Amino acid sequence: MSTVAVYIEQREGIVKRPSLEALTAARQLSPHVVAVCISAPGDASLLARYGAAEVVTIEHPLLQQYSSQAVAVALAQYVRSAEVTTILIAGTAQGKELAPRLAVLIEAAYIPDCTELDRDEHGKLQAKHPLFAGKVIATMQPLTERTVVTLRPNMFTARAVESSSEPTITQFSPTLSEEDRKVVVEQVVRNEGKLDVLEADIIVSGGRGMKGPENFVLIEQLANVLGAAVGASRAVVDAGWRPHSEQVGQTGKTVSPNLYLACGISGAVQHLAGMSSSKVIAAINKDKDAPIFKVADYGIVGDVFEVIPKLIERIAALKQTGA
Amino acid sequence: MTILVCISYVPDTAAKIGVTPEGTGLVLDGVKYILNPYDEFAIEEALQQREKHGGKVIALTVGPESAKEILRTALAMGVDSATIIPSTSLDSFGVAYNIAAYARSIGADLILLGRQSIDHDSFQMASTVGAMLGIPSISVVSKLEIEGATVRAERDIEGGKEILTSSLPIVISVQKGINTPRYPKLPDIMKAKSKPIDTVEPQSVQPRVAMVRYATPQLKRRGIILGDSDADIAEFVRLLHEEAKVI
Ligand SMILES: Cc1cc2nc3c(=O)[nH]c(=O)nc-3n(C[C@H](O)[C@H](O)[C@H](O)COP(=O)(O)OP(=O)(O)OC[C@H]3O[C@@H](n4cnc5c(N)ncnc54)[C@H](O)[C@@H]3O)c2cc1C
Ligand SMILES: Nc1ncnc2c1ncn2[C@@H]1O[C@H](COP(=O)(O)O)[C@@H](O)[C@H]1O
């Protein structure tokens, strides 16, 4: 039986949601899913609820400060000892850096940015990966015994299992030296009080149709009533109206929120590259022929300056009645 | 300091790319190829690091003969020499393998890449090359400082940024914003046309991944487009709330 392991990313002891999504995806591949954590998880039963039959904690003094290099070495040692064939890793900033390094160390195939994952009729792993900014979807298969896959966040739904028992927890002690951690994260600076487009369920994005940076208060207010993050097109980032961290698109961030609401954004192919895998796409644009409407589920043809204030009012009323 | 900057030759972002009827291949007829947009930042960073620390910058691409075009751009921007490893059949692992072998052969101290190649968007090259060489790597860097053999880098992560420390030799992939790439001047463009480009034969390696099928994405969008009357706006909110259940 092939064992599927999921690397669990934690931040200050809290498991990141994309790692729970990876656990759910792993359940489709194997009845026996192992959750692998660097240092003990705050809540092991959470991992069991999302499908881990076994939790492995990798502990070593040199792993206290995060180092992608050292974590890759430690994971590689674990994979070899436990005969794991498939390792799923959430495609976060950390995961995208870690996964290819691990793949080299365990002589595995590496499949990046996977949006669908299953097995073919022979039980062989197959994964979909968008190419050319999503213009083509490739189906990839490993040619090696082991495979490392990163999963695009929010493409797989994290689902709890119906009944879970306490997982068995085992500890694994890798052999590491200072040579294995020549790179470390010295410091993490949080953006206080600002929701990141990569972590938001809803994104409200503004484009050149907003006319100027001062008008983004409308976008911010709308984002506020929706509990959403603010996103931006490259045109407004290049103009200096918004920071680069908000840019969505091929040269910005790739997002797949539950709702992406584009305001005054034309929908250029490079913008679509970053948001076309959103669950629901809505758009407000005064040009009925704007390309964004071709990919939208819901749209309003109208002026953002008239429509957004009305939307804010209605949504605020909806939230108040809790209807 | 010996700096290697790796650049890739990719279809223009606006190019139309199709799939053959059987889904076994790509249709790239008439597609224009360009220097991968992120790699301009890598070239610029290489030149700026050379200005600070001295040494030389070598640009490398693994690709078809026609990719020499982007090496000429790198030469016009100011790299000292350019090398092509002619190949169109290697998978990402094979490209990384050849880059790593070349880096080893020239004793590179700093290997600079773009954060992603916009053809396969795989974000893997920095980590893969770093692992193959047994040296550290840092991806998607937006600020890089090197002093002696000490490296300090910043990068954006979800909800904030990280500050990392490391040492040379190292592989770094860069993000937009790290610098402003220079425009090559006309005389430099002209001079670059006649500069020699070295060729290094590719080493073939067993591929690790097979592309078994290609497809164009299926749009499954509702496409309900409304006007801007109060009733339409109310309907828009109702649809998002009751039908799509996203607000
Ligand atoms: C290599 C490369 C990479 C790129 N990467 C990205 C990327 O990552 N992200 C990105 O977004 N772009 C990217 N682009 C740029 C992209 O091609 C577009 O130029 C950009 O997305 C346009 O931004 P926009 O939609 O805000 O502006 P525009 O295209 O100017 O569109 C503005 C829209 O607002 C509408 N509008 C105007 N006034 C109003 C109003 N009062 N009410 C309602 N609607 C109004 C207009 O009808 C129009 O549709 C890239 C381009 C290249 C070449
Ligand atoms: N064929 C290639 N030749 C040289 N450098 C490459 C090649 N492919 C990718 N790279 C480099 O690796 C970076 C990341 O690419 P990728 O990991 O493939 O998304 C690119 O921005 C380039 O700097």
Side-chain angles (χ1 to χ4, degrees):
Chain A
M1 183 188 62
S2 79
T3 300
V4 175
V6 175
Y7 168 70
I8 303 296
E9 182 175 341
Q10 306 181 71
R11 193 187 279 165
E12 286 144 15
I14 296 169
V15 173
K16 304 252 302 193
R17 191 177 63 181
S19 295
L20 298 180
E21 294 166 10
L23 278 176
T24 312
R27 253 156 51 204
Q28 295 175 307
L29 302 178
S30 168
H32 190 82
V33 175
V34 185
V36 187
C37 310
I38 301 300
S39 76
D43 184 2
S45 62
L46 174 78
L47 301 175
R49 268 205 310 289
Y50 283 89
E54 191 185 336
V55 174
V56 172
T57 65
I58 300 186
E59 292 185 46
H60 194 282
L62 289 176
L63 292 173
Q64 271 167 17
Q65 205 176 3
Y66 182 83
S67 164
S68 56
Q69 201 186 4
V71 170
V73 171
L75 284 174
Q77 290 176 9
Y78 165 71
V79 166
R80 287 183 188 280
S81 76
E83 291 174 12
V84 170
T85 49
T86 308
I87 303 94
L88 305 188
I89 299 183
T92 57
Q94 191 184 101
K96 285 196 278 200
E97 178 167 79
L98 174 63
R101 193 170 263 281
L102 172 63
V104 172
L105 299 182
I106 59 173
E107 286 138 47
Y110 174 54
I111 299 182
D113 193 28
C114 165
T115 53
E116 267 180 67
L117 181 65
D118 53 18
R119 292 189 187 276
D120 68 9
E121 62 277 20
H122 309 294
K124 215 171 145 204
L125 209 64
Q126 57 178 9
K128 293 201 170 144
H129 165 55
L131 307 181
F132 308 106
K135 284 180 233 177
V136 174
I137 311 292
T139 301
M140 301 167 82
Q141 288 198 309
L143 296 169
T144 46
E145 195 188 331
R146 298 195 190 98
T147 313
V148 178
V149 185
T150 47
L151 306 178
R152 184 182 287 193
N154 218 17
M155 291 306 291
F156 299 83
T157 314
R159 267 194 215 93
V161 289
E162 270 160 27
S163 64
S164 64
S165 42
E166 280 305 303
T168 55
I169 303 183
T170 44
Q171 203 183 323
F172 178 80
S173 304
T175 313
L176 295 173
S177 74
E178 283 293 343
E179 281 296 295
D180 299 319
R181 61 184 293 278
K182 284 192 183 148
V183 56
V184 291
V185 173
E186 206 58 60
Q187 196 190 347
V188 175
V189 187
R190 316 245 98 238
N191 293 341
E192 287 310 331
K194 239 178 96 185
L195 193 55
D196 192 289
V197 288
L198 286 172
E199 293 186 317
D201 288 328
I202 303 181
I203 297 170
V204 181
S205 270
R208 192 139 52 192
M210 295 308 298
K211 300 283 191 289
E214 65 288 357
N215 299 326
F216 269 78
V217 317
L218 280 176
I219 299 286
E220 278 163 1
Q221 285 170 355
L222 182 54
N224 229 343
V225 291
L226 287 168
V230 173
S233 72
R234 170 161 149 186
V236 308
V237 171
D238 282 355
W241 301 356
R242 301 301 296 182
H244 183 251
S245 60
E246 291 179 3
Q247 183 179 318
V248 172
Q250 188 171 31
T251 46
K253 288 176 177 165
T254 304
V255 298
S256 25
N258 294 337
L259 171 63
Y260 188 86
L261 175 51
C263 307
I265 292 180
S266 59
V269 47
Q270 299 91 351
H271 189 79
L272 301 184
M275 45 64 77
S276 60
S277 59
S278 302
K279 304 270 181 330
V280 172
I281 297 174
I284 308 167
N285 196 302
K286 68 176 183 190
D287 172 10
K288 69 170 185 13
D289 297 321
I292 190 79
F293 286 131
K294 295 209 171 58
V295 300
D297 294 289
Y298 308 103
I300 290 185
V301 180
D303 186 329
V304 284
F305 299 104
E306 282 165 29
V307 175
I308 294 179
K310 289 182 188 167
L311 264 185
I312 293 171
E313 208 174 295
R314 286 209 176 259
I315 293 167
L318 179 76
K319 298 268 163 185
Q320 225 164 30
T321 59
Chain B
M1 180 146 70
T2 301
I3 306 172
L4 177 65
V5 56
C6 302
I7 60 179
S8 66
Y9 188 59
V10 296
D12 185 7
T13 56
K16 275 216 164 31
I17 294 165
V19 171
T20 57
E22 318 77 54
T24 47
L26 295 168
V27 181
L28 293 152
D29 300 337
V31 165
K32 184 175 162 251
Y33 281 73
I34 57 169
L35 168 61
N36 183 39
Y38 291 104
D39 300 351
E40 288 173 31
F41 300 101
I43 298 170
E44 178 62 36
E45 194 57 31
L47 299 174
Q48 291 190 11
Q49 294 295 341
R50 181 188 64 189
E51 277 155 26
K52 284 190 203 116
H53 306 285
K56 58 176 190 244
V57 178
I58 298 127
L60 171 70
T61 190
V62 182
E65 277 293 317
S66 48
K68 282 184 175 167
E69 183 192 324
I70 60 172
L71 291 173
R72 303 238 177 257
T73 306
L75 285 165
M77 284 174 78
V79 306
D80 299 283
S81 68
T83 301
I84 185 165
I85 300 180
S87 168
T88 51
S89 57
L90 294 162
D91 68 350
S92 293
F93 179 78
V95 170
Y97 186 90
N98 276 279
I99 290 176
Y102 185 77
R104 204 180 286 121
S105 76
I106 62 166
D109 304 296
L110 173 63
I111 302 164
L112 285 163
L113 297 84
R115 73 161 199 180
Q116 94 207 58
S117 198
I118 63 163
D119 46 2
H120 286 195
D121 291 320
S122 65
F123 278 89
Q124 62 178 292
M125 215 47 89
S127 296
T128 307
V129 171
M132 285 171 171
L133 292 170
I135 62 175
S137 57
I138 309 178
S139 339
V140 200
V141 167
S142 51
K143 195 169 166 194
L144 179 65
E145 286 165 5
I146 299 176
E147 250 182 72
T150 309
V151 175
R152 191 174 171 283
E154 274 182 33
R155 69 149 159 247
D156 287 342
I157 54 164
E158 298 84 359
K161 70 174 179 198
E162 275 179 354
I163 295 158
L164 299 103
T165 50
S166 191
S167 55
L168 295 178
I170 194 168
V171 186
I172 300 274
S173 78
V174 301
Q175 161 79 315
K176 179 185 169 188
I178 191 169
N179 54 41
T180 311
R182 66 197 68 187
Y183 282 109
K185 293 188 200 72
L186 193 59
D188 296 329
I189 296 174
M190 299 314 289
K191 262 186 256 156
K193 283 196 206 294
S194 56
K195 284 200 181 141
I197 289 176
D198 298 329
T199 300
V200 171
E201 284 313 312
Q203 304 183 32
S204 66
V205 264
Q206 280 292 324
R208 295 212 165 161
V209 178
M211 298 280 188
V212 288
R213 228 170 12 257
Y214 297 102
T216 41
Q218 299 301 315
L219 282 181
K220 306 181 289 268
R221 296 289 171 188
R222 298 272 284 131
I224 300 177
I225 311 301
L226 306 163
D228 62 353
S229 70
D230 285 357
D232 281 335
I233 291 172
E235 175 62 3
F236 182 78
V237 172
R238 189 196 69 80
L239 285 166
L240 290 175
H241 182 58
E242 289 175 16
E243 185 181 279
K245 298 192 169 58
V246 287
I247 65 172

